[in-house]
Amino acid sequence: CGGAAEAVEDGKTGFVRDPSRPDEWVALVQELLAAPGEVVRLRKAAAAFARRQFDVERTGRELLAHLLSACEG
């Protein structure tokens, strides 16, 4: 449905919803408006997830490993 699946942990760091179902998005926004503490929790969790998942040193090591593996095989 668009976007990178590894960028969001549904309900933990963000939300995955069907883009063709605006009613789902409306309900979600209404829930979040009623729960500002949940928004803060999500924001903190998303920032921590992004720092772990997309760390430049980690990503570089993984890319190098893949490239070396490809050269060997």
Side-chain angles (χ1 to χ4, degrees):
C1 287
E6 71 272 9
V8 175
E9 291 181 327
D10 191 37
K12 295 179 183 176
T13 63
F15 298 96
V16 177
R17 297 291 182 273
D18 185 340
S20 68
R21 296 284 313 269
D23 56 309
E24 291 181 5
W25 288 100
V26 169
L28 176 60
V29 170
Q30 288 173 333
E31 289 173 24
L32 293 173
L33 287 171
E38 178 67 2
V39 174
V40 171
R41 184 196 66 75
L42 282 165
R43 179 181 52 82
K44 289 179 180 179
F49 176 79
R51 282 191 296 274
R52 285 189 315 272
Q53 189 71 12
F54 303 110
D55 174 72
V56 68
E57 290 181 14
R58 177 180 160 261
T59 303
R61 285 191 305 271
E62 289 177 0
L63 176 60
L64 180 59
H66 287 297
L67 291 172
L68 292 173
S69 176
C71 290
E72 293 171 356

